[in-house]
């Protein structure tokens, strides 16, 4: 069922929490499927994307029981799935599990929803073929068929694109095939796979460019998943632009490969404090406090933009309130996310009278005084467009979205959390 919902202007106040990190949840489940004894993963992300990974791993033979946001996982010898793996809306599920199947010498078919079937699978397929897997895509997309290998040929990979999903697919191929793997030429994409492998006792070294996985993880243990920075992002921006806000978001993952949004917003003049930073299960966690602030336009560097790759729609919302132009470049892949996010930003901001210019590798926003009077935003089923619309409404006035259910991909409790903060 598809239903509409409406968001209102209003300050955000008090203390909130966001669900567990989606990226870390996928990875913890996948590596749990390698653990000979059950491990507990707590604060697992409750959205449909992570559910897609759980169901797929169960179809491959992993034992996974869930109780609320806790999962008990163990694995061992995986087997070919009986049915095609349905990755639903989740690019991470597709690309990372292709790596698992490639390394574990499994045969599987992969498919997904209409959005996922439009997204590029050839870059990850090309790198896994170099390992020795056979992969047939449908014109570079899903549905696809994969036959893994038990004799990996290449173990050193130059990443075709700086993608954490592709890097992780190659590392998982190594882990599930028990072979060392090196990846090179990354540009600082998120490093959760590397951190979790280290936490599980693998001999691994990594920096922003190169990962060397030398020995396999052997000390599997329970994982507490950090709050999802990408979920917190909508509240960080909403509290910045909605006058009179004073909000604290507790227990949020602040891995520097994810927090480009904070860097950009602080440069724009935002009032954000990151406090009580400590490490849990190999990841930095903190409380983030935000008070509303006046913003100015900036040029967002490609490095910052890559570390905010899922936050560009909501960064564009902040830019709509900034005096002057904000330019975001180095993000060509924005058009190939869950929807075309350049088009999504144009639809979103034009509903409030703000003009946007599509650049060959990014977007420019001419900020000012966005005003909304109840326009209905088409989300194209994209959860991040839906939540960015809610953040925009907090500062600009009433807006509707045509597809509330899309939010459940990553943050089923989003609307309730927002209403609580705006009470
Ligand atoms: C993700 C990596 C990013 C990001 C996606 C999640 C991950 O994609 O956009 O939402 O968990 O590794 P790319 O690897 O395609 O950049």
């Amino acid at each position: 069922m598809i239903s509409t919902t409406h968001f209102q202007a209003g300050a955000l106040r008090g203390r909130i929490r966001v669900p567990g990190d989606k990226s870390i949840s996928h990875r913890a489940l996948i590596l749990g499927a390698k653990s000979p004894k059950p491990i507990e993963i707590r604060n697992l992300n409750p959205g449909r994307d992570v559910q897609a990974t759980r169901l797929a791993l169960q179809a491959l033979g992993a034992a996974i029981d869930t109780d609320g946001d806790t999962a008990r996982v163990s694995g061992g010898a995986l087997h070919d799935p009986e049915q095609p793996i349905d990755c639903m809306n989740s690019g991470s599920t597709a690309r990372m599990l292709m790596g698992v199947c490639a390394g574990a010498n499994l045969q599987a078919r992969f498919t997904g929803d209409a959005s996922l079937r439009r997204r590029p699978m050839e870059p990850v397929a090309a790198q896994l073929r170099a390992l020795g897997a056979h992969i047939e895509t449908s014109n570079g997309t899903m549905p696809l068929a994969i036959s893994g290998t038990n004799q990996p040929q290449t173990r050193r990979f130059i990443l075709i694109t700086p993608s954490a999903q592709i890097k992780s697919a190659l590392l998982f191929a190594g882990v599930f095939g028990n072979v060392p793997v090196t990846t090179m030429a990354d540009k600082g994409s998120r490093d959760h796979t590397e951190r979790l492998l280290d936490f599980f006792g693998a001999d691994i070294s990594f920096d922003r460019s190169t990962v060397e996985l030398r020995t396999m993880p052997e000390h599997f243990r329970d994982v507490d998943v950090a709050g999802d920075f990408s979920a917190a992002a909508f509240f960080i921006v909403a509290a910045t632009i909605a006058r009179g806000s004073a909000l604290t978001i507790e227990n949020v993952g602040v891995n520097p490969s994810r927090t480009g949004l904070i860097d950009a917003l602080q440069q724009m003049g935002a009032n954000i404090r990151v406090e009580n930073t400590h490490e849990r299960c190999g990841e930095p966690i903190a409380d983030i406090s935000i008070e509303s602030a006046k913003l100015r336009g900036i040029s967002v560097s490609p490095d910052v933009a890559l570390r905010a790759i899922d936050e560009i729609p909501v960064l564009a919302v902040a830019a709509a309130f900034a005096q002057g132009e904000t330019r975001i470049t180095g993000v060509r892949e924005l058009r190939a996310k869950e929807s075309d996010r350049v088009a999504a930003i144009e639809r979103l901001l034009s509903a409030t009278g703000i003009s946007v210019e599509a650049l060959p590798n990014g977007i420019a926003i001419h900020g000012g005084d966005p005003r909304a009077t109840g326009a209905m935003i088409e989300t194209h089923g994209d959860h991040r467009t839906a939540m960015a619309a809610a953040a925009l409404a907090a500062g600009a006035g009433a807006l509707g979205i045509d597809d509330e259910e899309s939010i459940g991909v990553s943050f089923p409790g989003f609307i309730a959390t927002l209403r609580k903060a705006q009470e």
Side-chain angles (χ1 to χ4, degrees), residues 22-24 26-27 92 95-96 119 162-166 168 189-190 192 306 309-310 333 337-338 341 384:
K22 181 158 81 73
S23 290
I24 299 174
H26 287 298
R27 289 157 168 83
S92 298
R95 298 183 179 122
M96 295 199 250
R119 296 179 65 186
S163 156
Q165 293 177 349
I166 297 178
S168 300
S189 74
R190 65 194 66 190
H192 305 299
L306 178 67
I309 190 64
D310 293 337
E333 66 270 32
K337 293 294 180 186
E338 285 86 325
R341 288 195 174 149
R384 301 212 192 275

mmCIF file of all heavy atoms in Angstrom, residues 22-24 26-27 92 95-96 119 162-166 168 189-190 192 306 309-310 333 337-338 341 384, ligand 1:
data_model
loop_
_atom_site.group_PDB
_atom_site.id
_atom_site.type_symbol
_atom_site.label_atom_id
_atom_site.label_comp_id
_atom_site.label_asym_id
_atom_site.label_seq_id
_atom_site.Cartn_x
_atom_site.Cartn_y
_atom_site.Cartn_z
ATOM 1 N N LYS A 22 22.770 1.252 9.132
ATOM 2 C CA LYS A 22 22.396 0.291 8.093
ATOM 3 C C LYS A 22 23.643 -0.381 7.502
ATOM 4 O O LYS A 22 23.675 -1.600 7.340
ATOM 5 C CB LYS A 22 21.602 1.039 7.013
ATOM 6 C CG LYS A 22 21.105 0.196 5.875
ATOM 7 C CD LYS A 22 19.925 0.862 5.190
ATOM 8 C CE LYS A 22 20.293 1.931 4.195
ATOM 9 N NZ LYS A 22 20.866 1.421 2.943
ATOM 10 N N SER A 23 24.661 0.413 7.208
ATOM 11 C CA SER A 23 25.871 -0.159 6.591
ATOM 12 C C SER A 23 26.532 -1.178 7.521
ATOM 13 O O SER A 23 26.940 -2.264 7.093
ATOM 14 C CB SER A 23 26.881 0.948 6.276
ATOM 15 O OG SER A 23 26.422 1.757 5.234
ATOM 16 N N ILE A 24 26.635 -0.829 8.807
ATOM 17 C CA ILE A 24 27.289 -1.748 9.751
ATOM 18 C C ILE A 24 26.419 -2.990 9.953
ATOM 19 O O ILE A 24 26.932 -4.111 10.062
ATOM 20 C CB ILE A 24 27.568 -1.036 11.096
ATOM 21 C CG1 ILE A 24 28.507 0.155 10.883
ATOM 22 C CG2 ILE A 24 28.173 -2.010 12.117
ATOM 23 C CD1 ILE A 24 28.720 1.009 12.142
ATOM 24 N N HIS A 26 24.412 -4.548 7.785
ATOM 25 C CA HIS A 26 24.632 -5.507 6.680
ATOM 26 C C HIS A 26 25.920 -6.294 6.912
ATOM 27 O O HIS A 26 25.965 -7.518 6.779
ATOM 28 C CB HIS A 26 24.833 -4.762 5.353
ATOM 29 C CG HIS A 26 23.619 -4.145 4.741
ATOM 30 N ND1 HIS A 26 22.534 -4.870 4.335
ATOM 31 C CD2 HIS A 26 23.345 -2.856 4.413
ATOM 32 C CE1 HIS A 26 21.629 -4.051 3.787
ATOM 33 N NE2 HIS A 26 22.103 -2.826 3.831
ATOM 34 N N ARG A 27 26.970 -5.553 7.242
ATOM 35 C CA ARG A 27 28.296 -6.179 7.357
ATOM 36 C C ARG A 27 28.368 -7.140 8.546
ATOM 37 O O ARG A 27 28.991 -8.207 8.457
ATOM 38 C CB ARG A 27 29.360 -5.084 7.488
ATOM 39 C CG ARG A 27 29.576 -4.312 6.184
ATOM 40 C CD ARG A 27 30.154 -2.938 6.451
ATOM 41 N NE ARG A 27 30.630 -2.267 5.247
ATOM 42 C CZ ARG A 27 29.867 -1.580 4.407
ATOM 43 N NH1 ARG A 27 28.568 -1.485 4.617
ATOM 44 N NH2 ARG A 27 30.408 -0.984 3.348
ATOM 45 N N SER A 92 23.398 -2.479 -1.372
ATOM 46 C CA SER A 92 24.430 -3.088 -0.521
ATOM 47 C C SER A 92 24.253 -4.592 -0.460
ATOM 48 O O SER A 92 25.232 -5.353 -0.548
ATOM 49 C CB SER A 92 24.353 -2.527 0.903
ATOM 50 O OG SER A 92 24.587 -1.153 0.913
ATOM 51 N N ARG A 95 25.398 -6.105 -3.938
ATOM 52 C CA ARG A 95 26.824 -6.066 -4.284
ATOM 53 C C ARG A 95 27.659 -6.849 -3.277
ATOM 54 O O ARG A 95 28.567 -7.590 -3.646
ATOM 55 C CB ARG A 95 27.274 -4.615 -4.402
ATOM 56 C CG ARG A 95 26.507 -3.918 -5.540
ATOM 57 C CD ARG A 95 26.943 -2.506 -5.756
ATOM 58 N NE ARG A 95 26.186 -1.915 -6.858
ATOM 59 C CZ ARG A 95 25.427 -0.819 -6.757
ATOM 60 N NH1 ARG A 95 25.320 -0.184 -5.608
ATOM 61 N NH2 ARG A 95 24.790 -0.356 -7.804
ATOM 62 N N MET A 96 27.331 -6.727 -2.005
ATOM 63 C CA MET A 96 28.168 -7.425 -1.019
ATOM 64 C C MET A 96 27.934 -8.935 -1.062
ATOM 65 O O MET A 96 28.875 -9.712 -0.934
ATOM 66 C CB MET A 96 27.915 -6.843 0.367
ATOM 67 C CG MET A 96 28.379 -5.390 0.443
ATOM 68 S SD MET A 96 28.604 -4.822 2.120
ATOM 69 C CE MET A 96 27.285 -3.706 2.301
ATOM 70 N N ARG A 119 19.896 -0.200 -11.410
ATOM 71 C CA ARG A 119 21.187 0.301 -10.917
ATOM 72 C C ARG A 119 22.361 -0.525 -11.457
ATOM 73 O O ARG A 119 22.224 -1.728 -11.700
ATOM 74 C CB ARG A 119 21.168 0.317 -9.384
ATOM 75 C CG ARG A 119 20.107 1.294 -8.876
ATOM 76 C CD ARG A 119 20.035 1.335 -7.381
ATOM 77 N NE ARG A 119 21.248 1.851 -6.777
ATOM 78 C CZ ARG A 119 21.477 1.873 -5.480
ATOM 79 N NH1 ARG A 119 20.578 1.379 -4.643
ATOM 80 N NH2 ARG A 119 22.594 2.358 -5.011
ATOM 81 N N PRO A 162 35.595 4.487 -6.484
ATOM 82 C CA PRO A 162 35.823 4.487 -5.032
ATOM 83 C C PRO A 162 34.525 4.142 -4.303
ATOM 84 O O PRO A 162 33.879 4.994 -3.718
ATOM 85 C CB PRO A 162 36.267 5.919 -4.749
ATOM 86 C CG PRO A 162 35.644 6.732 -5.832
ATOM 87 C CD PRO A 162 35.532 5.850 -7.036
ATOM 88 N N SER A 163 34.136 2.869 -4.349
ATOM 89 C CA SER A 163 32.859 2.437 -3.781
ATOM 90 C C SER A 163 33.090 1.479 -2.627
ATOM 91 O O SER A 163 33.780 0.465 -2.774
ATOM 92 C CB SER A 163 32.043 1.736 -4.876
ATOM 93 O OG SER A 163 31.115 0.847 -4.297
ATOM 94 N N ALA A 164 32.488 1.803 -1.471
ATOM 95 C CA ALA A 164 32.626 0.916 -0.314
ATOM 96 C C ALA A 164 31.929 -0.414 -0.550
ATOM 97 O O ALA A 164 32.341 -1.445 -0.013
ATOM 98 C CB ALA A 164 32.041 1.595 0.911
ATOM 99 N N GLN A 165 30.882 -0.391 -1.361
ATOM 100 C CA GLN A 165 30.186 -1.652 -1.628
ATOM 101 C C GLN A 165 31.073 -2.593 -2.442
ATOM 102 O O GLN A 165 31.135 -3.794 -2.161
ATOM 103 C CB GLN A 165 28.872 -1.376 -2.368
ATOM 104 C CG GLN A 165 27.866 -0.639 -1.491
ATOM 105 C CD GLN A 165 26.586 -0.297 -2.220
ATOM 106 O OE1 GLN A 165 26.505 -0.420 -3.438
ATOM 107 N NE2 GLN A 165 25.583 0.148 -1.479
ATOM 108 N N ILE A 166 31.763 -2.041 -3.444
ATOM 109 C CA ILE A 166 32.629 -2.892 -4.271
ATOM 110 C C ILE A 166 33.846 -3.352 -3.462
ATOM 111 O O ILE A 166 34.221 -4.536 -3.481
ATOM 112 C CB ILE A 166 33.044 -2.153 -5.561
ATOM 113 C CG1 ILE A 166 31.794 -1.850 -6.399
ATOM 114 C CG2 ILE A 166 34.061 -2.976 -6.349
ATOM 115 C CD1 ILE A 166 32.061 -1.081 -7.683
ATOM 116 N N SER A 168 33.982 -3.779 -0.322
ATOM 117 C CA SER A 168 33.513 -4.791 0.635
ATOM 118 C C SER A 168 33.226 -6.108 -0.061
ATOM 119 O O SER A 168 33.499 -7.183 0.488
ATOM 120 C CB SER A 168 32.259 -4.294 1.359
ATOM 121 O OG SER A 168 32.549 -3.107 2.058
ATOM 122 N N SER A 189 36.356 5.924 0.942
ATOM 123 C CA SER A 189 34.971 5.485 1.128
ATOM 124 C C SER A 189 34.837 4.816 2.497
ATOM 125 O O SER A 189 35.828 4.459 3.131
ATOM 126 C CB SER A 189 34.556 4.516 0.012
ATOM 127 O OG SER A 189 35.168 3.258 0.199
ATOM 128 N N ARG A 190 33.599 4.612 2.953
ATOM 129 C CA ARG A 190 33.385 4.130 4.327
ATOM 130 C C ARG A 190 34.149 2.836 4.595
ATOM 131 O O ARG A 190 34.260 1.980 3.709
ATOM 132 C CB ARG A 190 31.891 3.973 4.617
ATOM 133 C CG ARG A 190 31.178 2.937 3.813
ATOM 134 C CD ARG A 190 29.666 3.097 3.915
ATOM 135 N NE ARG A 190 29.232 4.335 3.296
ATOM 136 C CZ ARG A 190 28.011 4.851 3.391
ATOM 137 N NH1 ARG A 190 27.088 4.239 4.082
ATOM 138 N NH2 ARG A 190 27.711 5.981 2.791
ATOM 139 N N HIS A 192 33.706 0.506 7.235
ATOM 140 C CA HIS A 192 33.106 -0.347 8.274
ATOM 141 C C HIS A 192 33.515 -1.814 8.135
ATOM 142 O O HIS A 192 33.692 -2.513 9.130
ATOM 143 C CB HIS A 192 31.581 -0.261 8.237
ATOM 144 C CG HIS A 192 31.044 1.124 8.352
ATOM 145 N ND1 HIS A 192 31.273 1.926 9.445
ATOM 146 C CD2 HIS A 192 30.285 1.864 7.500
ATOM 147 C CE1 HIS A 192 30.671 3.089 9.262
ATOM 148 N NE2 HIS A 192 30.065 3.072 8.094
ATOM 149 N N LEU A 306 32.171 12.900 -0.894
ATOM 150 C CA LEU A 306 32.226 11.427 -0.862
ATOM 151 C C LEU A 306 31.911 10.922 0.545
ATOM 152 O O LEU A 306 31.235 9.900 0.712
ATOM 153 C CB LEU A 306 33.607 10.927 -1.311
ATOM 154 C CG LEU A 306 33.799 9.406 -1.264
ATOM 155 C CD1 LEU A 306 32.910 8.697 -2.284
ATOM 156 C CD2 LEU A 306 35.255 9.013 -1.500
ATOM 157 N N ILE A 309 28.075 10.928 0.941
ATOM 158 C CA ILE A 309 27.439 10.531 -0.328
ATOM 159 C C ILE A 309 25.931 10.280 -0.173
ATOM 160 O O ILE A 309 25.158 10.631 -1.070
ATOM 161 C CB ILE A 309 28.173 9.316 -0.971
ATOM 162 C CG1 ILE A 309 27.669 9.073 -2.388
ATOM 163 C CG2 ILE A 309 28.088 8.073 -0.118
ATOM 164 C CD1 ILE A 309 27.964 10.190 -3.350
ATOM 165 N N ASP A 310 25.491 9.733 0.945
ATOM 166 C CA ASP A 310 24.051 9.487 1.125
ATOM 167 C C ASP A 310 23.328 10.710 1.697
ATOM 168 O O ASP A 310 22.101 10.696 1.812
ATOM 169 C CB ASP A 310 23.830 8.279 2.045
ATOM 170 C CG ASP A 310 24.303 6.999 1.381
ATOM 171 O OD1 ASP A 310 24.383 6.961 0.137
ATOM 172 O OD2 ASP A 310 24.614 6.028 2.104
ATOM 173 N N GLU A 333 27.884 9.736 -9.235
ATOM 174 C CA GLU A 333 27.034 8.572 -8.958
ATOM 175 C C GLU A 333 25.695 8.923 -8.312
ATOM 176 O O GLU A 333 24.851 8.049 -8.113
ATOM 177 C CB GLU A 333 27.793 7.529 -8.123
ATOM 178 C CG GLU A 333 28.152 7.952 -6.712
ATOM 179 C CD GLU A 333 29.524 8.634 -6.603
ATOM 180 O OE1 GLU A 333 29.930 9.319 -7.564
ATOM 181 O OE2 GLU A 333 30.165 8.500 -5.554
ATOM 182 N N LYS A 337 21.756 6.301 -7.564
ATOM 183 C CA LYS A 337 21.403 5.790 -6.226
ATOM 184 C C LYS A 337 19.982 5.223 -6.283
ATOM 185 O O LYS A 337 19.499 4.908 -7.358
ATOM 186 C CB LYS A 337 21.551 6.912 -5.190
ATOM 187 C CG LYS A 337 23.008 7.350 -4.986
ATOM 188 C CD LYS A 337 23.828 6.234 -4.365
ATOM 189 C CE LYS A 337 25.270 6.613 -4.154
ATOM 190 N NZ LYS A 337 26.084 5.472 -3.683
ATOM 191 N N GLU A 338 19.309 5.093 -5.137
ATOM 192 C CA GLU A 338 17.985 4.465 -5.120
ATOM 193 C C GLU A 338 17.040 5.127 -6.128
ATOM 194 O O GLU A 338 16.095 4.525 -6.618
ATOM 195 C CB GLU A 338 17.378 4.510 -3.712
ATOM 196 C CG GLU A 338 17.990 3.514 -2.733
ATOM 197 C CD GLU A 338 19.246 4.016 -2.036
ATOM 198 O OE1 GLU A 338 20.049 4.769 -2.659
ATOM 199 O OE2 GLU A 338 19.453 3.663 -0.860
ATOM 200 N N ARG A 341 19.158 11.165 -7.796
ATOM 201 C CA ARG A 341 19.043 12.133 -6.690
ATOM 202 C C ARG A 341 19.283 13.570 -7.134
ATOM 203 O O ARG A 341 18.911 14.492 -6.409
ATOM 204 C CB ARG A 341 19.951 11.727 -5.528
ATOM 205 C CG ARG A 341 19.376 10.503 -4.832
ATOM 206 C CD ARG A 341 19.978 10.220 -3.485
ATOM 207 N NE ARG A 341 19.261 9.116 -2.862
ATOM 208 C CZ ARG A 341 19.814 8.247 -2.018
ATOM 209 N NH1 ARG A 341 21.099 8.369 -1.698
ATOM 210 N NH2 ARG A 341 19.087 7.287 -1.483
ATOM 211 N N ARG A 384 15.541 8.383 1.149
ATOM 212 C CA ARG A 384 16.281 9.592 1.553
ATOM 213 C C ARG A 384 15.622 10.859 0.997
ATOM 214 O O ARG A 384 15.699 11.920 1.616
ATOM 215 C CB ARG A 384 17.746 9.476 1.152
ATOM 216 C CG ARG A 384 18.406 8.248 1.803
ATOM 217 C CD ARG A 384 19.853 8.413 2.117
ATOM 218 N NE ARG A 384 20.455 7.122 2.450
ATOM 219 C CZ ARG A 384 20.440 6.570 3.666
ATOM 220 N NH1 ARG A 384 19.858 7.169 4.669
ATOM 221 N NH2 ARG A 384 21.004 5.389 3.873
HETATM 222 C C1 LIG B 1 27.294 1.912 1.158
HETATM 223 C C2 LIG B 1 28.121 2.563 0.277
HETATM 224 C C3 LIG B 1 27.685 3.683 -0.588
HETATM 225 C C4 LIG B 1 26.370 4.250 -0.079
HETATM 226 C C5 LIG B 1 25.371 3.189 0.223
HETATM 227 C C6 LIG B 1 25.884 2.289 1.319
HETATM 228 C C7 LIG B 1 27.847 0.827 1.969
HETATM 229 O O1 LIG B 1 27.510 3.229 -1.909
HETATM 230 O O2 LIG B 1 25.835 5.160 -1.036
HETATM 231 O O3 LIG B 1 24.140 3.760 0.635
HETATM 232 O O4 LIG B 1 27.210 0.417 2.965
HETATM 233 O O5 LIG B 1 28.933 0.354 1.643
HETATM 234 P P1 LIG B 1 28.742 3.086 -2.957
HETATM 235 O O6 LIG B 1 29.614 2.002 -2.438
HETATM 236 O O7 LIG B 1 28.095 2.706 -4.242
HETATM 237 O O8 LIG B 1 29.394 4.410 -2.999
#
